Each structure stands twice: as structure tokens, then as C-alpha cells.
Amino acid sequence: MTWIDKIRAWDYDITVVFSWLWGVVLYNAERHGPIAYLVALVVVVLLLLAFPPTRALTKTTVGGIFRMATVYIQLVASLVTVQLLGFIFRLLLTMFHKARIWVLESIRRFREAD
């Protein structure tokens, strides 16, 4: 008896459906690679959003995960930006001091040449 036959017989055992879905995910993961796990996750989230009793909890969970990812990306981007700007300013300061020394040495050599 398949899981569809059990549902038609009013036997709502969710473990049979989950085992069938897990078998589909594993088959697709072996066939298409790790992207199948991401597609399966998206399908599960969409199913949970389509079912009204689980919609609020799913929205909250997905929103929280999205917010955490956004904050993490912002923190990493700001830290990388600060490090990059610090490097650029140190480089500019070094170039300024080398140019200042070069100008002073050029003026000194010009005065000695006269």
C-alpha cells in the first residue's frame, strides 16, 4: 500500500509521507548534486507558507534567518571596508612621506648644483 492509498483510506500517518519525500530528495541530490537540498528546502518553505496554520511561524522563522544573514553580511562588509580604507590611507601616507622626502632631496640637490 502506497502513501497515497493510506491517505485515501484516511490513514494520515505523516511518517510515510516524510520518508517518501526524503527518498525523493536523496534521489535528486544524487542526480543533481547539493543544489537539490536547497531546492527541497525552498519547496518545503513554500508548502509551509501555503498552509494557513503554519504561515505565521514560517514567516517569522524565514524572516529571522533572512535578518540574521543580512546583519552578518553588513558586519562583514563594514569590517572589510574599514580594513581596506585603513590600508589605502596607510599607503597614501607612506606615498606622501616618500614624495615629501623626494621633493626635499630634489630641492637640496638643485641648490648644491648651483
Side-chain angles (χ1 to χ4, degrees):
M1 179 180 268
T2 66
W3 67 274
I4 296 176
D5 294 333
K6 287 189 177 188
I7 290 178
R8 287 185 184 140
W10 295 94
D11 184 13
Y12 291 115
D13 187 16
I14 199 72
T15 58
V16 179
V17 178
F18 281 148
S19 66
W20 176 78
L21 283 173
W22 185 245
V24 170
V25 169
L26 289 179
Y27 169 76
N28 284 311
E30 289 176 8
R31 183 169 179 183
H32 300 291
I35 193 74
Y37 291 113
L38 181 65
V39 172
L41 179 68
V42 169
V43 168
V44 168
V45 167
L46 290 176
L47 286 174
L48 290 173
L49 286 173
F51 189 55
T54 59
R55 187 174 296 147
L57 182 61
T58 306
K59 278 184 186 178
T60 303
T61 304
V62 171
I65 291 171
F66 180 73
R67 191 173 297 117
M68 281 191 322
T70 305
V71 168
Y72 178 77
I73 290 170
Q74 287 175 342
L75 285 172
V76 168
S78 65
L79 289 172
V80 167
T81 303
V82 166
Q83 293 295 322
L84 181 66
L85 287 176
F87 172 74
I88 289 172
F89 287 138
R90 281 193 309 270
L91 186 67
L92 288 174
L93 187 62
T94 302
M95 290 172 64
F96 169 75
H97 285 301
K98 287 192 180 274
R100 184 179 58 89
I101 291 170
W102 179 77
V103 166
L104 291 175
E105 286 293 318
S106 297
I107 291 172
R108 185 185 57 79
R109 275 190 258 128
F110 178 73
R111 285 184 180 167
E112 289 177 357
D114 286 340

